[in-house]
Amino acid sequence: MLELHDVVIEPRRQTISLTLDDGRLALLSASKRSEATAVLRAVMGLQPIAGGHISIDGELLTPLSASYFRHDMAYVPSRLVLIPGQDRVCDVYRMVTSLEANKLSLEKNKDTRLWTSLSPAARYLELLRCVAQLKRRLVLVDAPMVELTMSELGSAIALFGQMTEAGSSVLAVSNRLPSMHITENITYLNNEDFQR
């Protein structure tokens, strides 16, 4: 279980509190993507917090414990910047999965299409598919850089469902998904007082 209790992230002086149970989905909705991304970075231990605390399964997340907790996390960024020469779909799968590549489908690992030949939305969905196969306990998903079509949103929601059915807890940033009624666990970051 992930818990944020009265967490304060600079420069905003608002407190964020949320609870995410195992195998469940929670959404962060923010008027500014950077504010929600800062929350995800704080959960990964990469963004300092100015107050409150974050815990995973009752254990405090600290600068010293963060790297331990990250072993059980997966992160889907808004966009991925690739190293020249490592820019095929199979390269992305190997990079995201690192040592766990052997557990993934060989067909995906042999996909030699250029990553840039995919649309931004297709790249985002491909990252979600890759991370879904990792079956990590906690999956942090940033909002896509582009607006997804209804069909693409449906694919993203199906992948979130696949992750939670496998036991992953998913914390996703979205401004559009709350209207899809896929979870009641929504934290709004765009109001003067955070709501649940």
Side-chain angles (χ1 to χ4, degrees):
M1 175 171 32
L2 170 68
E3 290 183 285
L4 281 72
H5 182 72
D6 294 336
V7 170
V8 177
I9 300 173
E10 297 292 352
R12 293 178 72 98
R13 296 300 307 170
Q14 298 172 314
T15 61
I16 307 161
S17 294
L18 70 85
T19 300
L20 176 57
D21 292 323
D22 295 340
R24 306 294 286 180
L25 169 68
L27 297 176
L28 290 173
S29 180
S31 56
K32 293 181 182 175
R33 175 180 294 141
S34 61
E35 293 171 358
T37 299
V39 173
L40 298 183
R41 289 179 52 77
V43 171
M44 290 185 283
L46 302 173
Q47 170 90 31
I49 60 174
H53 67 269
I54 299 171
S55 65
I56 298 175
D57 293 333
E59 299 289 327
L60 280 181
L61 182 99
T62 67
L64 292 175
S65 67
S67 63
Y68 169 79
F69 286 117
R70 280 196 298 270
H71 288 288
D72 237 2
M73 294 181 194
Y75 173 61
V76 177
S78 294
R79 64 186 178 100
L80 195 60
V81 178
L82 299 177
I83 300 167
Q86 297 292 312
D87 53 359
R88 299 169 299 163
V89 173
C90 59
D91 296 326
V92 170
Y93 266 71
R94 276 194 290 279
M95 179 181 62
V96 170
T97 60
S98 63
L99 298 176
E100 299 184 48
N102 293 334
K103 296 179 182 177
L104 299 179
S105 148
L106 290 175
E107 180 181 313
K108 286 293 182 189
N109 284 328
K110 291 183 179 180
D111 189 340
T112 59
R113 291 177 297 163
L114 286 177
W115 186 250
T116 54
S117 71
L118 303 177
S119 72
R123 287 181 228 156
Y124 184 77
L125 291 173
E126 204 63 49
L127 283 173
L128 285 177
R129 283 186 197 95
C130 182
V131 166
Q133 294 180 45
L134 291 176
K135 297 185 174 141
R136 294 285 172 87
R137 285 197 64 208
L138 179 59
V139 178
L140 306 171
V141 182
D142 217 331
M145 294 298 285
V146 296
E147 189 167 321
L148 302 181
T149 65
M150 289 305 288
S151 172
E152 291 161 344
L153 274 174
S155 296
I157 291 167
L159 287 163
F160 291 155
Q162 181 181 332
M163 292 178 207
T164 56
E165 285 172 19
S168 296
S169 300
V170 180
L171 180 60
V173 175
S174 176
N175 291 328
R176 201 161 162 214
L177 284 176
S179 65
M180 302 297 290
H181 304 294
I182 60 171
T183 182
E184 294 177 3
N185 193 353
I186 303 169
T187 300
Y188 297 92
L189 306 182
N190 53 354
N191 296 330
E192 204 47 40
D193 295 307
F194 285 92
Q195 304 172 14
R196 288 193 71 190

